[in-house]
Amino acid sequence: MSILIILILAIPSYFLSKYVLKKLHLGNEKNRKLIAIIPAIFLSPIIYFGLIYLWIFSVSYYPSNDFDKQEWETNIEERYKMSEDIMESKILIGKTKEEITELLGKDFYSYNQNHIAYGIGFVPGLFNIDPDVLDIYFENGKVTKVLQHQN
Protein backbone atom coordinates (compact mmCIF):
# COMPACT_ATOMS: atom_id res chain seq x y z
CA MET A 1 0.00 0.00 0.00
CA SER A 2 2.77 2.43 0.88
CA ILE A 3 4.56 1.67 -2.40
CA LEU A 4 1.39 2.60 -4.28
CA ILE A 5 1.19 5.90 -2.40
CA ILE A 6 4.86 6.61 -3.11
CA LEU A 7 4.27 5.92 -6.80
CA ILE A 8 1.29 8.28 -6.80
CA LEU A 9 3.46 10.94 -5.13
CA ALA A 10 6.14 10.34 -7.78
CA ILE A 11 3.88 11.72 -10.52
CA PRO A 12 3.66 15.32 -9.22
CA SER A 13 7.30 15.06 -8.07
CA TYR A 14 8.33 14.19 -11.64
CA PHE A 15 6.46 17.14 -13.15
CA LEU A 16 7.77 19.50 -10.47
CA SER A 17 11.34 18.31 -11.14
CA LYS A 18 10.85 18.74 -14.88
CA TYR A 19 9.52 22.28 -14.34
CA VAL A 20 12.44 23.23 -12.08
CA LEU A 21 14.95 21.83 -14.56
CA LYS A 22 13.34 23.88 -17.33
CA LYS A 23 13.44 27.08 -15.24
CA LEU A 24 17.11 26.46 -14.42
CA HIS A 25 17.84 25.83 -18.12
CA LEU A 26 19.37 22.42 -17.39
CA GLY A 27 19.47 19.97 -20.27
CA ASN A 28 17.35 20.04 -23.38
CA GLU A 29 13.72 18.98 -23.77
CA LYS A 30 14.56 15.32 -24.46
CA ASN A 31 16.97 14.64 -21.64
CA ARG A 32 15.03 16.76 -19.12
CA LYS A 33 12.39 14.04 -19.12
CA LEU A 34 14.99 11.46 -18.15
CA ILE A 35 16.82 13.68 -15.68
CA ALA A 36 13.54 14.57 -13.90
CA ILE A 37 13.05 10.89 -12.99
CA ILE A 38 16.00 10.95 -10.58
CA PRO A 39 14.70 13.70 -8.24
CA ALA A 40 11.21 12.18 -8.45
CA ILE A 41 12.57 8.85 -7.20
CA PHE A 42 14.23 10.53 -4.21
CA LEU A 43 11.53 13.10 -3.44
CA SER A 44 8.57 10.71 -3.38
CA PRO A 45 9.61 8.70 -0.28
CA ILE A 46 10.72 11.89 1.47
CA ILE A 47 7.31 13.48 0.84
CA TYR A 48 5.57 10.26 1.94
CA PHE A 49 7.41 10.06 5.27
CA GLY A 50 7.00 13.80 5.75
CA LEU A 51 3.24 13.44 5.38
CA ILE A 52 3.21 10.55 7.88
CA TYR A 53 5.23 12.63 10.37
CA LEU A 54 2.90 15.60 9.87
CA TRP A 55 -0.15 13.39 10.49
CA ILE A 56 1.35 11.90 13.68
CA PHE A 57 2.24 15.36 14.93
CA SER A 58 -1.25 16.71 14.25
CA VAL A 59 -2.89 13.77 16.05
CA SER A 60 -0.62 14.18 19.09
CA TYR A 61 -0.86 17.96 19.42
CA TYR A 62 -2.90 19.59 22.14
CA PRO A 63 -2.80 23.13 23.53
CA SER A 64 -1.33 23.85 26.94
CA ASN A 65 -3.27 26.18 29.22
CA ASP A 66 -2.37 27.96 32.44
CA PHE A 67 -3.79 26.43 35.60
CA ASP A 68 -7.29 27.67 36.43
CA LYS A 69 -8.93 26.26 39.56
CA GLN A 70 -12.48 26.64 38.24
CA GLU A 71 -11.60 25.00 34.90
CA TRP A 72 -9.79 22.19 36.78
CA GLU A 73 -12.90 21.44 38.84
CA THR A 74 -15.45 21.64 36.02
CA ASN A 75 -13.63 20.11 33.04
CA ILE A 76 -12.14 16.88 34.41
CA GLU A 77 -11.58 15.25 31.00
CA GLU A 78 -9.38 18.14 29.80
CA ARG A 79 -7.22 18.65 32.88
CA TYR A 80 -4.25 17.42 30.84
CA LYS A 81 -4.17 20.85 29.20
CA MET A 82 -3.23 22.41 32.56
CA SER A 83 -0.95 19.64 33.85
CA GLU A 84 2.12 20.96 32.03
CA ASP A 85 1.69 24.38 33.65
CA ILE A 86 1.29 22.77 37.09
CA MET A 87 4.53 20.83 36.68
CA GLU A 88 6.60 23.62 35.09
CA SER A 89 5.49 26.40 37.46
CA LYS A 90 6.04 24.12 40.49
CA ILE A 91 2.99 25.65 42.21
CA LEU A 92 2.45 22.46 44.21
CA ILE A 93 6.03 22.02 45.47
CA GLY A 94 6.25 22.56 49.25
CA LYS A 95 2.49 22.43 49.84
CA THR A 96 0.80 20.08 52.30
CA LYS A 97 -1.83 17.52 51.38
CA GLU A 98 -4.54 19.81 52.82
CA GLU A 99 -3.37 22.71 50.62
CA ILE A 100 -3.33 20.41 47.60
CA THR A 101 -6.90 19.18 48.20
CA GLU A 102 -8.02 22.78 48.69
CA LEU A 103 -6.45 23.78 45.37
CA LEU A 104 -7.13 20.68 43.22
CA GLY A 105 -10.10 19.09 44.98
CA LYS A 106 -10.79 15.87 46.85
CA ASP A 107 -11.26 13.59 43.83
CA PHE A 108 -7.78 12.04 44.01
CA TYR A 109 -6.55 8.46 44.17
CA SER A 110 -4.45 7.67 47.22
CA TYR A 111 -1.75 5.08 46.54
CA ASN A 112 -0.21 5.50 49.99
CA GLN A 113 0.42 8.24 52.51
CA ASN A 114 3.17 9.76 50.35
CA HIS A 115 1.62 9.41 46.89
CA ILE A 116 -1.68 10.67 45.47
CA ALA A 117 -2.85 11.10 41.88
CA TYR A 118 -5.48 13.11 40.04
CA GLY A 119 -7.11 11.89 36.83
CA ILE A 120 -6.48 14.35 34.02
CA GLY A 121 -8.29 12.69 31.11
CA PHE A 122 -7.09 11.24 27.83
CA VAL A 123 -4.12 13.11 26.41
CA PRO A 124 -4.43 13.19 22.59
CA GLY A 125 -2.03 10.74 20.99
CA LEU A 126 -1.70 8.14 18.28
CA PHE A 127 -2.35 5.00 20.31
CA ASN A 128 -3.52 6.60 23.54
CA ILE A 129 -6.22 4.36 25.03
CA ASP A 130 -5.52 4.89 28.72
CA PRO A 131 -6.19 8.03 30.74
CA ASP A 132 -3.28 10.00 32.18
CA VAL A 133 -2.81 10.93 35.83
CA LEU A 134 -0.97 13.67 37.68
CA ASP A 135 1.14 12.02 40.39
CA ILE A 136 1.97 14.03 43.49
CA TYR A 137 4.66 12.73 45.85
CA PHE A 138 5.13 13.83 49.46
CA GLU A 139 8.09 13.73 51.81
CA ASN A 140 7.64 14.76 55.44
CA GLY A 141 4.11 15.96 54.62
CA LYS A 142 5.20 18.35 51.81
CA VAL A 143 5.08 17.93 48.03
CA THR A 144 8.50 17.13 46.58
CA LYS A 145 7.70 15.90 43.09
CA VAL A 146 4.88 16.20 40.54
CA LEU A 147 4.83 13.93 37.48
CA GLN A 148 2.41 12.92 34.75
CA HIS A 149 2.05 9.45 33.31
CA GLN A 150 -0.34 7.20 31.46
CA ASN A 151 -2.40 5.05 33.78
Side-chain angles (χ1 to χ4, degrees), residues 113-128:
Q113 187 177 0
N114 296 322
H115 181 197
I116 64 173
Y118 285 88
I120 57 173
F122 291 88
V123 175
L126 191 57
F127 298 109
N128 197 1

Side-chain angles (χ1 to χ4, degrees), residues 75-86:
N75 201 352
I76 295 169
E77 287 300 314
E78 292 188 358
R79 286 179 174 174
Y80 63 86
K81 292 179 180 179
M82 293 177 272
S83 63
E84 187 176 333
D85 181 54
I86 291 171

